[in-house]
Amino acid sequence: MRSEILTILRKAGEEYVSGAYLAERLSVSRTAIWKHICALKEDGYDIDSKSRNGYRIISSPDLLTPGEINAVLSTEFLGHNIKYYKSVDSTNNVSKLLAQQNAEEGTILISEEQGNGKGRLSRGWFSPSRKGIWFSLILRPNFLPQEAPKCTLMAAVAISKAIRSVTGVEVGIKWPNDILYEGKKLVGILTEMNAEMERINYIIIGMGINVNITHAEVPEEIRDSATSLLQITGKKISRVELLCAILAELENEYVIIREKGFSPILDEWKKFSVTLGQEIKVIGINETFHGKAVNIDDYGALLVDTGNKIERVLAGDVSIRPAGQAIN
């Protein structure tokens, strides 16, 4: 209901819309309209009310509500079904439940904050309220389960392109799932899958983008390793604009994959990579070794030249740090 009210007010521009018109259009009472307007004001919408004239929207808060997103969204199918929450433990956890209940492909789940955001290898993710973009995307692709890890690479390419186009910030991708700026983590991606032997039931791609977090708001233990777009640019970034740009890029990349396979996406990923060509340390479950990251293969695995042989490193079972850096 509130999303529909906002859509009508936006279309009216500078003109006032009467409560009677809104009530008739939405088949509710004028009192119900007034209550929704009050609730919107409490959420931060600046709505001017005039007796006999009605309502006019002056400005909107930077919320990731369906109404705000739909006003900017340009995709054909990604993000057309939006599940919005003020707070969840993890957008991936809730998205799994939605996927199990047959949520349509392209559904996104957005939360203004996460109480227990999930990172790779069971790490947490700092997700303060209204300071970042914390969302998960549900896909139901027709490719084989062994290709699912490449969805992380797809998301990294899409997010990197969107950040560059919206903010001008030149970010790079660290294999397999981080986006960095000058060595500091800006974005984390977590892909999870439910599948059978030769069929994917669903894929959840969880994405966390640090947008308007100040240096002081970052927990002290990660201040030296994490950053945000606000810290980089010195100005607040519209989360709605950035999210819609990310969804547009994701949809474009996903369509390419369905029509041409992953090869074009892997080529783009290599252009953004800050891992390839670097001397790195690979920390596995059973072994640790050094080498030079020389390429990724057709399945998205990292190829590392140790000097003796080429090691094939799979996403999900290692951590990577620059060679010589201490491991905590």
Side-chain angles (χ1 to χ4, degrees):
M1 178 69 71
R2 292 170 196 171
S3 177
E4 294 168 324
I5 292 173
L6 289 170
T7 298
I8 294 171
L9 293 180
R10 286 196 181 95
K11 288 182 178 178
E14 297 294 319
E15 300 295 323
Y16 285 87
V17 180
S18 71
Y21 174 82
L22 289 169
E24 181 180 358
R25 177 78 177 273
L26 300 176
S27 301
V28 296
S29 68
R30 291 180 64 179
T31 300
I33 294 296
W34 176 77
K35 288 181 178 179
H36 283 298
I37 293 291
C38 290
L40 287 168
K41 288 181 177 180
E42 289 179 1
D43 282 338
Y45 288 90
D46 185 2
I47 299 175
D48 186 26
S49 306
K50 276 192 176 181
S51 179
R52 298 180 182 178
N53 289 333
Y55 307 103
R56 178 169 66 99
I57 189 165
I58 305 299
S59 64
S60 303
D62 189 24
L63 293 174
L64 297 177
T65 60
E68 292 301 306
I69 293 168
N70 289 331
V72 181
L73 193 65
S74 62
T75 60
E76 293 293 327
F77 64 96
L78 284 196
H80 285 217
N81 184 25
I82 302 171
K83 303 298 182 182
Y84 172 79
Y85 296 83
K86 290 186 177 179
S87 181
V88 297
D89 65 337
S90 159
T91 60
N92 266 28
N93 284 348
V94 181
S95 293
K96 288 177 193 175
L97 297 176
L98 291 175
Q100 291 163 11
Q101 296 166 6
N102 297 317
E104 66 188 50
E105 181 173 62
T107 295
I108 60 172
L109 187 141
I110 304 168
S111 184
E112 295 292 358
E113 70 174 347
Q114 294 183 110
N116 187 28
K118 296 172 66 177
R120 213 173 129 259
L121 303 179
S122 300
R123 300 187 183 103
W125 185 263
F126 175 58
S127 314
S129 180
R130 301 188 182 186
K131 297 289 185 173
I133 300 174
W134 328 118
F135 81 109
S136 295
L137 167 67
I138 299 174
L139 296 178
R140 299 184 184 277
N142 58 6
F143 47 74
L144 295 173
Q146 56 263 39
E147 292 195 288
K150 288 184 280 189
C151 287
T152 300
L153 308 183
M154 173 191 74
V157 169
I159 295 171
S160 296
K161 292 169 74 172
I163 288 175
R164 290 188 177 199
S165 67
V166 172
T167 70
V169 174
E170 297 287 322
V171 295
I173 303 171
K174 174 191 167 188
W175 187 92
N177 69 329
D178 292 340
I179 295 176
L180 310 181
Y181 178 78
E182 295 185 350
K184 291 189 174 185
K185 190 167 181 175
L186 182 65
V187 178
I189 303 165
L190 178 63
T191 300
E192 299 182 274
M193 174 181 66
N194 180 287
E196 300 167 24
M197 284 295 293
E198 296 185 354
R199 177 176 178 269
I200 294 174
N201 295 321
Y202 61 80
I203 287 175
I204 308 294
I205 308 176
M207 293 158 270
I209 301 101
N210 297 333
V211 184
N212 294 321
I213 305 173
T214 66
H215 180 73
E217 289 171 326
V218 178
E220 188 173 353
E221 62 270 21
I222 61 171
R223 282 180 188 169
D224 292 336
S225 60
T227 190
S228 72
L229 291 171
L230 172 64
Q231 294 177 52
I232 296 166
T233 65
K235 59 183 180 182
K236 289 190 70 174
I237 304 298
S238 168
R239 294 185 301 144
V240 171
E241 181 184 359
L242 180 56
L243 173 61
C244 289
I246 290 170
L247 291 173
E249 294 288 357
L250 276 168
E251 182 173 275
N252 181 60
E253 304 289 349
Y254 190 50
V255 169
I256 289 173
I257 288 168
R258 293 196 301 191
E259 294 178 353
K260 301 179 181 180
F262 275 96
S263 181
I265 307 305
L266 297 182
D267 289 340
E268 285 197 281
W269 184 92
K270 293 175 186 179
K271 295 176 184 177
F272 285 104
S273 174
V274 296
T275 302
L276 297 183
Q278 300 298 310
E279 295 292 332
I280 63 171
K281 178 183 286 186
V282 179
I283 309 98
I285 297 174
N286 299 316
E287 64 175 340
T288 297
F289 60 88
H290 294 81
K292 185 175 183 179
V294 293
N295 207 346
I296 55 170
D297 66 16
D298 291 342
Y299 290 96
L302 185 67
L303 303 181
V304 181
D305 185 352
T306 65
N308 298 317
K309 61 179 180 177
I310 301 295
E311 293 278 0
R312 184 173 183 266
V313 185
L314 297 171
D317 62 358
V318 300
S319 294
I320 298 177
R321 299 290 185 272
Q325 180 174 317
I327 305 300
N328 295 325

